[in-house]
mmCIF file of all heavy atoms in Angstrom:
data_model
loop_
_atom_site.group_PDB
_atom_site.id
_atom_site.type_symbol
_atom_site.label_atom_id
_atom_site.label_comp_id
_atom_site.label_asym_id
_atom_site.label_seq_id
_atom_site.Cartn_x
_atom_site.Cartn_y
_atom_site.Cartn_z
ATOM 1 N N VAL G 20 67.689 88.816 166.226
ATOM 2 C CA VAL G 20 67.096 89.944 166.965
ATOM 3 C C VAL G 20 65.609 89.799 166.912
ATOM 4 O O VAL G 20 65.041 89.687 165.787
ATOM 5 C CB VAL G 20 67.568 91.279 166.406
ATOM 6 C CG1 VAL G 20 66.923 92.421 167.146
ATOM 7 C CG2 VAL G 20 69.112 91.376 166.388
ATOM 8 N N ILE G 21 64.959 89.801 168.058
ATOM 9 C CA ILE G 21 63.512 89.622 168.156
ATOM 10 C C ILE G 21 62.836 90.880 168.658
ATOM 11 O O ILE G 21 63.313 91.521 169.588
ATOM 12 C CB ILE G 21 63.151 88.531 169.124
ATOM 13 C CG1 ILE G 21 63.810 87.184 168.701
ATOM 14 C CG2 ILE G 21 61.630 88.287 169.211
ATOM 15 C CD1 ILE G 21 63.760 86.101 169.793
ATOM 16 N N ASN G 22 61.760 91.313 168.049
ATOM 17 C CA ASN G 22 60.963 92.478 168.500
ATOM 18 C C ASN G 22 60.128 91.933 169.662
ATOM 19 O O ASN G 22 59.203 91.184 169.475
ATOM 20 C CB ASN G 22 60.097 92.999 167.415
ATOM 21 C CG ASN G 22 59.214 94.140 167.851
ATOM 22 O OD1 ASN G 22 59.044 94.394 169.082
ATOM 23 N ND2 ASN G 22 58.619 94.816 166.916
ATOM 24 N N GLY G 23 60.464 92.305 170.874
ATOM 25 C CA GLY G 23 59.771 91.884 172.051
ATOM 26 C C GLY G 23 58.881 92.920 172.662
ATOM 27 O O GLY G 23 58.458 92.800 173.835
ATOM 28 N N PHE G 24 58.553 93.957 171.925
ATOM 29 C CA PHE G 24 57.704 95.000 172.401
ATOM 30 C C PHE G 24 56.311 94.396 172.639
ATOM 31 O O PHE G 24 55.893 93.504 171.849
ATOM 32 C CB PHE G 24 57.605 96.172 171.427
ATOM 33 C CG PHE G 24 58.738 97.110 171.562
ATOM 34 C CD1 PHE G 24 59.941 96.850 170.906
ATOM 35 C CD2 PHE G 24 58.622 98.276 172.267
ATOM 36 C CE1 PHE G 24 61.014 97.733 171.031
ATOM 37 C CE2 PHE G 24 59.695 99.155 172.427
ATOM 38 C CZ PHE G 24 60.883 98.854 171.771
ATOM 39 N N THR G 25 55.626 94.852 173.658
ATOM 40 C CA THR G 25 54.301 94.297 174.014
ATOM 41 C C THR G 25 53.159 94.996 173.309
ATOM 42 O O THR G 25 52.134 94.461 173.119
ATOM 43 C CB THR G 25 54.094 94.300 175.516
ATOM 44 O OG1 THR G 25 54.259 95.610 175.999
ATOM 45 C CG2 THR G 25 55.068 93.340 176.210
ATOM 46 N N ASN G 26 53.435 96.246 172.883
ATOM 47 C CA ASN G 26 52.314 96.968 172.232
ATOM 48 C C ASN G 26 52.862 98.017 171.294
ATOM 49 O O ASN G 26 52.830 99.229 171.532
ATOM 50 C CB ASN G 26 51.446 97.677 173.298
ATOM 51 C CG ASN G 26 50.208 98.275 172.683
ATOM 52 O OD1 ASN G 26 49.810 97.966 171.526
ATOM 53 N ND2 ASN G 26 49.588 99.193 173.388
ATOM 54 N N ASN G 27 53.387 97.532 170.165
ATOM 55 C CA ASN G 27 53.866 98.515 169.127
ATOM 56 C C ASN G 27 53.332 98.139 167.766
ATOM 57 O O ASN G 27 53.965 98.243 166.749
ATOM 58 C CB ASN G 27 55.386 98.569 169.104
ATOM 59 C CG ASN G 27 56.080 97.378 168.493
ATOM 60 O OD1 ASN G 27 55.606 96.276 168.685
ATOM 61 N ND2 ASN G 27 57.154 97.603 167.791
ATOM 62 N N SER G 28 52.078 97.692 167.742
ATOM 63 C CA SER G 28 51.517 97.263 166.423
ATOM 64 C C SER G 28 51.459 98.366 165.412
ATOM 65 O O SER G 28 51.487 98.095 164.226
ATOM 66 C CB SER G 28 50.136 96.672 166.669
ATOM 67 O OG SER G 28 49.315 97.611 167.341
ATOM 68 N N SER G 29 51.403 99.597 165.883
ATOM 69 C CA SER G 29 51.365 100.726 164.894
ATOM 70 C C SER G 29 52.760 101.307 164.576
ATOM 71 O O SER G 29 52.884 101.976 163.577
ATOM 72 C CB SER G 29 50.462 101.820 165.402
ATOM 73 O OG SER G 29 50.942 102.376 166.612
ATOM 74 N N VAL G 30 53.758 101.009 165.401
ATOM 75 C CA VAL G 30 55.064 101.524 165.184
ATOM 76 C C VAL G 30 56.028 100.367 165.180
ATOM 77 O O VAL G 30 56.328 99.732 166.200
ATOM 78 C CB VAL G 30 55.532 102.520 166.326
ATOM 79 C CG1 VAL G 30 56.946 103.033 166.085
ATOM 80 C CG2 VAL G 30 54.553 103.658 166.431
ATOM 81 N N PRO G 31 56.586 99.946 163.981
ATOM 82 C CA PRO G 31 57.479 98.826 163.975
ATOM 83 C C PRO G 31 58.825 99.148 164.550
ATOM 84 O O PRO G 31 59.206 100.327 164.628
ATOM 85 C CB PRO G 31 57.609 98.560 162.457
ATOM 86 C CG PRO G 31 57.345 99.849 161.803
ATOM 87 C CD PRO G 31 56.339 100.526 162.663
ATOM 88 N N LEU G 32 59.576 98.136 164.901
ATOM 89 C CA LEU G 32 60.959 98.272 165.372
ATOM 90 C C LEU G 32 61.796 98.109 164.088
ATOM 91 O O LEU G 32 61.710 97.076 163.424
ATOM 92 C CB LEU G 32 61.272 97.169 166.348
ATOM 93 C CG LEU G 32 62.715 97.127 166.854
ATOM 94 C CD1 LEU G 32 63.002 98.369 167.713
ATOM 95 C CD2 LEU G 32 62.892 95.879 167.712
ATOM 96 N N VAL G 33 62.556 99.137 163.755
ATOM 97 C CA VAL G 33 63.344 99.056 162.516
ATOM 98 C C VAL G 33 64.826 98.745 162.877
ATOM 99 O O VAL G 33 65.363 99.300 163.870
ATOM 100 C CB VAL G 33 63.283 100.457 161.764
ATOM 101 C CG1 VAL G 33 64.175 100.424 160.520
ATOM 102 C CG2 VAL G 33 61.854 100.774 161.395
ATOM 103 N N ILE G 34 65.379 97.797 162.117
ATOM 104 C CA ILE G 34 66.729 97.335 162.414
ATOM 105 C C ILE G 34 67.516 97.428 161.086
ATOM 106 O O ILE G 34 67.040 97.180 160.029
ATOM 107 C CB ILE G 34 66.756 95.922 162.947
ATOM 108 C CG1 ILE G 34 68.216 95.450 163.219
ATOM 109 C CG2 ILE G 34 66.005 94.954 162.010
ATOM 110 C CD1 ILE G 34 68.240 94.104 163.939
ATOM 111 N N TRP G 35 68.764 97.899 161.209
ATOM 112 C CA TRP G 35 69.669 97.997 160.045
ATOM 113 C C TRP G 35 71.042 97.483 160.529
ATOM 114 O O TRP G 35 71.581 98.059 161.522
ATOM 115 C CB TRP G 35 69.787 99.406 159.564
ATOM 116 C CG TRP G 35 70.529 99.470 158.239
ATOM 117 C CD1 TRP G 35 71.866 99.378 158.052
ATOM 118 C CD2 TRP G 35 69.923 99.700 156.953
ATOM 119 N NE1 TRP G 35 72.175 99.486 156.699
ATOM 120 C CE2 TRP G 35 70.969 99.635 155.997
ATOM 121 C CE3 TRP G 35 68.653 99.889 156.517
ATOM 122 C CZ2 TRP G 35 70.766 99.833 154.661
ATOM 123 C CZ3 TRP G 35 68.436 100.024 155.136
ATOM 124 C CH2 TRP G 35 69.475 100.013 154.234
ATOM 125 N N CYS G 36 71.600 96.479 159.895
ATOM 126 C CA CYS G 36 72.855 95.882 160.339
ATOM 127 C C CYS G 36 73.877 95.819 159.205
ATOM 128 O O CYS G 36 73.565 95.573 158.082
ATOM 129 C CB CYS G 36 72.647 94.479 160.808
ATOM 130 S SG CYS G 36 71.487 94.330 162.195
ATOM 131 N N SER G 37 75.167 96.113 159.593
ATOM 132 C CA SER G 37 76.227 96.074 158.604
ATOM 133 C C SER G 37 77.601 95.924 159.360
ATOM 134 O O SER G 37 77.696 96.180 160.569
ATOM 135 C CB SER G 37 76.234 97.295 157.759
ATOM 136 O OG SER G 37 76.480 98.479 158.496
ATOM 137 N N ASN G 38 78.607 95.562 158.551
ATOM 138 C CA ASN G 38 79.970 95.589 159.024
ATOM 139 C C ASN G 38 80.844 95.931 157.815
ATOM 140 O O ASN G 38 80.333 96.276 156.785
ATOM 141 C CB ASN G 38 80.365 94.275 159.746
ATOM 142 C CG ASN G 38 80.368 93.104 158.812
ATOM 143 O OD1 ASN G 38 80.330 93.140 157.585
ATOM 144 N ND2 ASN G 38 80.424 91.913 159.445
ATOM 145 N N GLU G 39 82.198 95.732 157.934
ATOM 146 C CA GLU G 39 83.082 96.064 156.875
ATOM 147 C C GLU G 39 82.897 95.153 155.640
ATOM 148 O O GLU G 39 83.168 95.587 154.510
ATOM 149 C CB GLU G 39 84.527 96.008 157.341
ATOM 150 C CG GLU G 39 84.857 97.048 158.368
ATOM 151 C CD GLU G 39 86.284 96.821 158.955
ATOM 152 O OE1 GLU G 39 86.917 95.840 158.611
ATOM 153 O OE2 GLU G 39 86.694 97.708 159.751
ATOM 154 N N GLU G 40 82.436 93.959 155.883
ATOM 155 C CA GLU G 40 82.303 92.969 154.786
ATOM 156 C C GLU G 40 80.915 92.905 154.148
ATOM 157 O O GLU G 40 80.797 92.438 153.052
ATOM 158 C CB GLU G 40 82.693 91.545 155.280
ATOM 159 C CG GLU G 40 84.170 91.401 155.635
ATOM 160 C CD GLU G 40 84.482 91.770 157.057
ATOM 161 O OE1 GLU G 40 83.578 91.616 157.901
ATOM 162 O OE2 GLU G 40 85.585 92.184 157.286
ATOM 163 N N ALA G 41 79.890 93.320 154.925
ATOM 164 C CA ALA G 41 78.510 93.052 154.405
ATOM 165 C C ALA G 41 77.559 94.080 154.985
ATOM 166 O O ALA G 41 77.745 94.566 156.066
ATOM 167 C CB ALA G 41 78.046 91.669 154.810
ATOM 168 N N ASP G 42 76.554 94.372 154.168
ATOM 169 C CA ASP G 42 75.423 95.263 154.615
ATOM 170 C C ASP G 42 74.188 94.381 154.524
ATOM 171 O O ASP G 42 73.805 93.996 153.447
ATOM 172 C CB ASP G 42 75.323 96.473 153.705
ATOM 173 C CG ASP G 42 74.249 97.432 154.177
ATOM 174 O OD1 ASP G 42 73.354 97.045 154.959
ATOM 175 O OD2 ASP G 42 74.294 98.596 153.699
ATOM 176 N N LEU G 43 73.597 94.068 155.630
ATOM 177 C CA LEU G 43 72.471 93.178 155.687
ATOM 178 C C LEU G 43 71.131 93.927 155.396
ATOM 179 O O LEU G 43 70.120 93.308 155.239
ATOM 180 C CB LEU G 43 72.351 92.484 157.053
ATOM 181 C CG LEU G 43 73.524 91.660 157.476
ATOM 182 C CD1 LEU G 43 73.249 91.004 158.845
ATOM 183 C CD2 LEU G 43 73.861 90.588 156.451
ATOM 184 N N GLY G 44 71.240 95.268 155.303
ATOM 185 C CA GLY G 44 70.058 96.071 154.981
ATOM 186 C C GLY G 44 69.190 96.268 156.156
ATOM 187 O O GLY G 44 69.495 95.914 157.298
ATOM 188 N N GLY G 45 68.010 96.846 155.905
ATOM 189 C CA GLY G 45 67.096 97.215 156.944
ATOM 190 C C GLY G 45 65.838 96.360 156.924
ATOM 191 O O GLY G 45 65.472 95.849 155.860
ATOM 192 N N ARG G 46 65.205 96.214 158.048
ATOM 193 C CA ARG G 46 63.931 95.490 158.162
ATOM 194 C C ARG G 46 63.064 96.232 159.166
ATOM 195 O O ARG G 46 63.557 96.823 160.121
ATOM 196 C CB ARG G 46 64.147 94.099 158.725
ATOM 197 C CG ARG G 46 65.136 93.226 158.026
ATOM 198 C CD ARG G 46 64.580 92.590 156.789
ATOM 199 N NE ARG G 46 65.362 91.546 156.213
ATOM 200 C CZ ARG G 46 66.528 91.751 155.550
ATOM 201 N NH1 ARG G 46 67.003 92.920 155.375
ATOM 202 N NH2 ARG G 46 67.187 90.699 155.018
ATOM 203 N N ALA G 47 61.770 96.205 158.937
ATOM 204 C CA ALA G 47 60.757 96.713 159.881
ATOM 205 C C ALA G 47 60.120 95.494 160.561
ATOM 206 O O ALA G 47 59.461 94.711 159.892
ATOM 207 C CB ALA G 47 59.750 97.512 159.197
ATOM 208 N N LEU G 48 60.329 95.337 161.830
ATOM 209 C CA LEU G 48 59.843 94.218 162.575
ATOM 210 C C LEU G 48 58.587 94.587 163.333
ATOM 211 O O LEU G 48 58.626 95.463 164.177
ATOM 212 C CB LEU G 48 60.896 93.699 163.529
ATOM 213 C CG LEU G 48 62.239 93.354 162.960
ATOM 214 C CD1 LEU G 48 63.238 92.872 164.067
ATOM 215 C CD2 LEU G 48 62.137 92.277 161.907
ATOM 216 N N GLN G 49 57.517 93.863 163.084
ATOM 217 C CA GLN G 49 56.294 94.049 163.867
ATOM 218 C C GLN G 49 56.444 93.192 165.156
ATOM 219 O O GLN G 49 57.477 92.445 165.328
ATOM 220 C CB GLN G 49 55.057 93.565 163.087
ATOM 221 C CG GLN G 49 54.818 94.389 161.812
ATOM 222 C CD GLN G 49 54.532 95.853 162.141
ATOM 223 O OE1 GLN G 49 53.965 96.204 163.158
ATOM 224 N NE2 GLN G 49 54.924 96.715 161.213
#
Side-chain angles (χ1 to χ4, degrees):
V20 179
I21 303 168
N22 178 346
F24 279 82
T25 54
N26 186 18
N27 74 322
S28 56
S29 63
V30 180
L32 178 65
V33 177
I34 180 172
W35 191 285
C36 301
S37 65
N38 65 14
E39 294 174 357
E40 292 89 27
D42 185 341
L43 302 180
R46 307 280 191 286
L48 306 178
Q49 297 298 329

